[in-house]
Amino acid sequence: MYKEILRSIENVEIYPIISLIIFVVFFVGMFIWVIRVPKTYVDHMKSLPMDEHESTPIQP
């Protein structure tokens, strides 16, 4: 049943390619962000669960 529905959609072969591109771009973007984020920001975020008072976040 599903095969017949997918066969009736025009240009259905483009959807897996678009999904793969979105997946790769997202994870490459996250990798670049992780590499470039300042160490002070990571240390600040790491210490937040142990803080008893609220503090202002450090902008990356």
Side-chain angles (χ1 to χ4, degrees):
M1 180 177 148
Y2 293 113
K3 288 181 183 180
E4 295 303 320
I5 293 172
L6 289 175
R7 285 183 189 152
S8 68
I9 300 174
E10 291 183 29
N11 298 325
V12 74
E13 63 274 357
I14 194 75
Y15 294 119
I17 296 169
I18 292 171
S19 299
L20 179 64
I21 290 171
I22 291 171
F23 178 81
V24 169
V25 166
F26 175 78
F27 281 102
V28 166
M30 287 303 298
F31 180 75
I32 291 170
W33 181 79
V34 166
I35 296 299
R36 298 188 70 200
V37 70
K39 181 127 174 70
T40 56
Y41 179 75
V42 173
D43 291 337
H44 172 73
M45 296 307 263
K46 182 173 61 175
S47 68
L48 279 179
M50 299 302 184
D51 284 346
E52 291 184 10
H53 64 282
E54 290 186 31
S55 59
T56 58
I58 299 173
Q59 298 296 324

